[in-house]
Amino acid sequence: MHMADALLSPAVGGAFWAGTIGTIGYASKRLSERLDDRTIPLMGVLGAFIFASQMINFTIPGTGSSGHLGGGMILAVLVGPHAAFLVMASVLTAQALFFADGGLLALGCNIWNLGFYPCFVACPLIYKPLAGDGRSARRILVASLASGIVALQLGAFSVVLQTLLSGKIALPFTTFLLMMQPIHLAIGIVEGFVTAGVIHYVRAARPEILDSSSSSAPLAAGISLRSVLIGFVALAVATGGALSWFASTHPDGLEWAIGKVTGKDELPEQEHGVPAALKNVQEKTAFLPGYGFKPAAGEPKEKTRETQTPAWPNVDAGTSLSGLIGGVLVLAMVLGIGWAIRAFRGKRSAPPSARPGL
Amino acid sequence: MRFEAAYSGIGRLDRLSYRDTVVHRLDPRAKVIATLLFVVAVVSFPRYEILSLFPFFLFPVLIGALGDIPAGFIAKKVVAVSPFAVFVGIFNPLFDPGVVAIAPGVLVSAGWVSFASILVKFALTISAALLLIATTSFPGICRGLRRLGLPALFVSQLLFLYRYLFVLMEEAMRVVRARDMRSFGKRGAGTLVFVRIVGTLFLRTVERAERIYGAMLARGFRGEVPSIRRETLRPSDAVFVLAAGCFFALCRFVPVPQMVGRLVRGLAG
Amino acid sequence: MSHHLLEFRDVRFRYPDGTEALKGVSFLITHGESVGIVGANGAGKSTVLLHMNGHLLPTSGTVTVGEVPLRRETRPEIRRKVGVVFQNPDDQLFMPTVFDDVAFGPLNLGLPPDRVRERVHAALRQVGALALADKPPHHLSGGEKSAVAIATVIAMEPDILVMDEPAASLDPKSRRSVIGLLNSFTHSKIVASHDLDLILDVCARCLVIRDGAIVADGPTPEILSDAILLAENNLELPLTLQGRPAREGARR
Ligand SMILES: Nc1ncnc2c1ncn2[C@@H]1O[C@H](COP(=O)(O)OP(=O)(O)OP(=O)(O)O)[C@@H](O)[C@H]1O
Ligand SMILES: [Mg+2]
């Protein structure tokens, strides 16, 4: 699943941009040190291949729903992790531009989630050891399944983490996690099957492709498996630490977030001159009125606590009304400007016959 | 069908990007930087902010209008990619039911406000990204990225990807069409057929890459994709970035709508 | 300058999968000649052409360009002399815009930017595609692609222009313009094609290849009017020659 700009904070988006650009630089450097010239067009065309294959839908057996290919695992196995990461990065960049899948700030997160885990974690740490020399179809299947699942679980976990750290949504961590991980378990299994199938197919038709990729791009040439593992564990400990700190200092993530946003916890002033009846109606019709939030998922509706102070930026009726009027005016003005420019252009542009060329 | 829709969408964006307007003529770097500033400014607003985001619509509206990009087309594409943001955001009203007043006497739960904020931010950031590619050719963006310091190898990947995107999508589309034509019901669209299609496409891709490599060698390729383009930033590009940056800063730190509203109310008496 | 330009002497070639594609090919092409290569599908035309700039190296036998024998280390030099336009323009045009694509070769020759620009413009003008310079290849029609593919090679100013099926899948008008283009070149040219009318229009001399060996070599009008020879090679009389009596001769 693609992360979206609107769910991100600049800090989280920026951090993953930095991480992604760093990894792109690292992979480019490693690759150009011992690059076979012919890999340059190969990688580029493979990017287009992944892009195109992702657009082909297929039916997932037993569910009737349709699936799409991720492709990171296939690439990592067939051309090696560094090249695969660069290809995935270029595919996701093109998608961010052409489909606006997620957006530009989220691009760093998306490359990380969908490129880093399959290429640098799942492939070297799970696929390679499990598949061995890759001659047994059974081992390929097991390896693909395991690595597909792990890559997607890590990716989904990453999405949850990025969203949570950005603080734009109210969904509690555990609930979000419980929604995301099982979905991605299914997606990972499908990805694993497809990866195994394609590798098997390629192995049967052009075995030399697989042999050359595994020999020409061993990850171990640059960094040893052990250092990757250590780095990964360190990363896990760090994130775990950060998370538990977050959880312990802010048992109620939501309250913390709101408090942080507003910096106040006083009741908004009652509006002047508004009939109480209207307010009553509003409260009734508002979706889940009252501050009955309880972090434990599952039964948020039943728990109606004593109405607490709904924290909200000092709602001074005057400012609020001005803001509303101004907001609507600004929006109208903006649209008016756009419309005027278009109208002007439309009038100015000559009829097609008078246009030069074409 | 989804495939063909997506394909024609990309094709249309791509064609738009080769138009010749004031916006199209700006240096790609200028547009990339301005768009990134825009996105960062928009997402940096706290989660209950809606009104202060409105002035930001000026940027996509101006770019779209001056760049002669059909507004309906962009709007449709924004809606098409919204599911994830909506899916995640829709839980806000559920888990964040504190009451807030959005206008005197109008109370809603805070979750709806933050959800609306996500949607507004989504519309802004996604339309900005789409307008960037609609007003800047993909090769232009790639050259901009190269100038901004991304590795040459990565940028040449992007360029190759772009060059063969349409070729391979057409190839894939032909295969999918053949599959759908002969698969009555669901049977032909299953995972096994898919694997075979992808496998075949992969092998064809590898063979194509070999032919391309041959063509490159025939023209003296020695491991480096050369480029002759040496764009220099013109004053107009600098002015554009500067103006955009100032505007974003203004809208970020000054509550423009509030001020306009106060002004209007003051005028009204 | 030597008077012979390109010589194949008993060239044999075996693909890695064991297919014996060339079984002793010999011919000599002199300066300024225009030579057509015809033959059935799988006869070995493309394989011969791929030897001309060292994309493939002979399993045995020699290929000589000018005075330079083709070897692994002489390939860059030979590639400067022999420009090959491949069968599929989508494989030939790999850069994101027409301009970049035509500039690719001259830049690799190490020319200064100004000279590169000149060459690109000259080449594009020659094929009538100057207006396409800033377009990406996927916005071009088939005929435009072929024209640009030819421009990419002539921008390198090779001594010999080699083309594999230059007019395949072109509509009649684009095909006509490609023929006009080929005729306007003073280069030596070698063209492989199933389009015998094109060969007849463009090439003075014609080689017939069958099962990896040359079976006929002579003036194009003679070869292409030999109905029996053509039929043996899955070919037919060119349309412009149909209705004339078939002639004997020119067979080896
Ligand atoms: N990459 C390859 N690997 C193995 N065999 C090949 C390869 N390319 C060609 N061949 C074989 O070599 C022989 C000559 O092929 P070639 O492509 O030269 O024929 P051609 O005359 O160009 O045919 P066409 O008219 O179809 O283009 C054929 O038998 C073909 O199957
Ligand atoms: Mg051929």
Side-chain angles (χ1 to χ4, degrees), chain C residues 45-46 87 164:
Chain C
K45 302 181 294 295
S46 300
Q87 207 158 349
D164 201 348

Side-chain angles (χ1 to χ4, degrees), chain A residues 3 7-13 160-169:
Chain A
M3 191 65 197
L7 303 175
L8 274 179
S9 70
V12 175
V160 173
L161 219 63
Q162 286 153 0
T163 317
L164 178 90
L165 290 174
S166 297
K168 291 279 155 68
I169 63 161

Side-chain angles (χ1 to χ4, degrees), chain C residues 15 17 19 21 40-47 87 194:
Chain C
Y15 277 103
D17 68 350
T19 314
N41 284 132
K45 302 181 294 295
S46 300
T47 310
Q87 207 158 349
H194 296 296

Side-chain angles (χ1 to χ4, degrees), chain C residues 78-112:
Chain C
I78 282 182
R79 283 177 182 150
R80 218 164 298 161
K81 296 184 176 174
V82 184
V84 182
V85 181
F86 291 97
Q87 207 158 349
N88 181 352
D90 269 327
D91 299 338
Q92 177 85 19
L93 305 177
F94 45 78
M95 293 290 279
T97 67
V98 166
F99 179 93
D100 289 324
D101 212 306
V102 180
F104 183 88
L107 281 171
N108 281 330
L109 292 180
L111 297 177

Side-chain angles (χ1 to χ4, degrees), chain C residues 28-82:
Chain C
L28 185 100
I29 291 171
T30 54
H31 200 76
E33 262 193 303
S34 56
V35 181
I37 300 184
V38 300
N41 284 132
K45 302 181 294 295
S46 300
T47 310
V48 166
L49 298 195
L50 288 174
H51 278 79
M52 291 184 181
N53 76 342
H55 188 70
L56 300 176
L57 295 172
T59 313
S60 74
T62 56
V63 175
T64 316
V65 178
E67 254 106 55
V68 184
L70 171 63
R71 281 195 304 267
R72 195 165 290 278
E73 53 300 347
T74 59
R75 283 191 298 190
E77 194 181 338
I78 282 182
R79 283 177 182 150
R80 218 164 298 161
K81 296 184 176 174
V82 184

Side-chain angles (χ1 to χ4, degrees), chain B residues 11 14-15 18 139 143 159-160 162-164 166-167 208 210-222 224-230, chain C residues 53 55 79 86 88-97 99-105 107-108 113 116-117 134 136-139 152-153 156:
Chain B
D14 182 52
R15 280 186 183 276
Y18 286 91
R143 284 195 297 271
L159 289 172
F160 271 112
Y162 171 73
R163 170 61 189 94
Y164 286 99
F166 297 90
V167 178
R208 181 185 293 279
E210 282 161 5
R211 293 195 301 271
I212 294 167
Y213 179 63
M216 293 172 77
L217 285 180
R219 288 195 272 146
F221 176 65
R222 260 177 265 113
E224 185 96 6
V225 181
S227 172
I228 192 174
R229 310 261 179 174
R230 292 276 172 275
Chain C
N53 76 342
H55 188 70
R79 283 177 182 150
F86 291 97
N88 181 352
D90 269 327
D91 299 338
Q92 177 85 19
L93 305 177
F94 45 78
M95 293 290 279
T97 67
F99 179 93
D100 289 324
D101 212 306
V102 180
F104 183 88
L107 281 171
N108 281 330
V116 172
R117 259 185 221 102
D134 285 323
H138 63 272
H139 287 182
T152 62
V153 171
M156 301 192 56

Side-chain angles (χ1 to χ4, degrees), chain B:
Chain B
M1 296 321 100
R2 195 194 96 95
F3 193 115
E4 312 208 345
Y7 176 65
S8 69
I10 296 179
R12 181 139 182 229
L13 268 179
D14 182 52
R15 280 186 183 276
L16 286 174
S17 72
Y18 286 91
R19 286 197 179 173
D20 188 29
T21 71
V22 234
V23 185
H24 288 82
R25 279 191 291 271
L26 286 168
D27 187 279
R29 272 171 291 177
K31 281 179 277 186
V32 169
I33 292 173
T35 308
L36 284 176
L37 288 177
F38 174 83
V39 172
V40 169
V42 167
V43 303
S44 71
F45 275 98
R47 72 174 183 185
Y48 294 107
E49 199 55 69
I50 298 175
L51 293 176
S52 299
L53 289 167
F54 284 179
F56 282 91
F57 276 104
L58 186 63
F59 181 69
V61 164
L62 269 186
I63 297 278
L66 291 173
D68 208 8
I69 307 298
F73 173 61
I74 298 292
K76 248 185 246 154
K77 291 209 75 159
V78 171
V79 173
V81 291
S82 58
F84 183 60
V86 172
F87 165 77
V88 176
I90 196 73
F91 289 95
N92 279 9
L94 261 173
F95 289 97
D96 187 5
V99 179
V100 296
I102 53 165
V106 185
L107 298 178
V108 296
S109 74
W112 285 110
V113 176
S114 57
F115 180 44
S117 173
I118 288 180
L119 292 186
V120 172
K121 286 174 187 157
F122 184 81
L124 283 168
T125 53
I126 298 299
S127 58
L130 286 170
L131 284 166
L132 174 66
I133 184 68
T135 57
T136 319
S137 70
F138 193 88
I141 292 182
C142 294
R143 284 195 297 271
L145 292 178
R146 176 76 194 104
R147 272 322 121 64
L148 291 172
L150 268 95
L153 183 62
F154 176 63
V155 173
S156 66
Q157 285 325 295
L158 280 174
L159 289 172
F160 271 112
L161 182 141
Y162 171 73
R163 170 61 189 94
Y164 286 99
L165 190 56
F166 297 90
V167 178
L168 286 195
M169 278 195 302
E170 258 161 43
E171 204 166 304
M173 194 155 65
R174 281 195 296 271
V175 181
V176 170
R177 220 180 267 148
R179 173 192 76 177
D180 293 348
M181 215 144 56
R182 281 181 291 165
S183 62
F184 307 99
K186 288 278 177 200
R187 296 187 65 179
T191 318
L192 274 182
V193 178
F194 175 77
V195 164
R196 231 165 276 153
I197 289 177
V198 172
T200 315
L201 275 180
F202 177 85
L203 291 179
R204 277 198 225 165
T205 306
V206 170
E207 276 154 22
R208 181 185 293 279
E210 282 161 5
R211 293 195 301 271
I212 294 167
Y213 179 63
M216 293 172 77
L217 285 180
R219 288 195 272 146
F221 176 65
R222 260 177 265 113
E224 185 96 6
V225 181
S227 172
I228 192 174
R229 310 261 179 174
R230 292 276 172 275
E231 298 101 335
T232 41
L233 282 175
R234 284 158 305 166
S236 56
D237 301 316
V239 169
F240 168 72
V241 174
L242 215 64
C246 291
F247 174 69
F248 301 153
L250 176 85
C251 298
R252 177 64 188 88
F253 298 113
V254 179
V256 178
Q258 317 270 358
M259 283 164 58
V260 173
R262 237 180 258 139
L263 189 74
V264 171
R265 287 176 91 199
L267 288 179

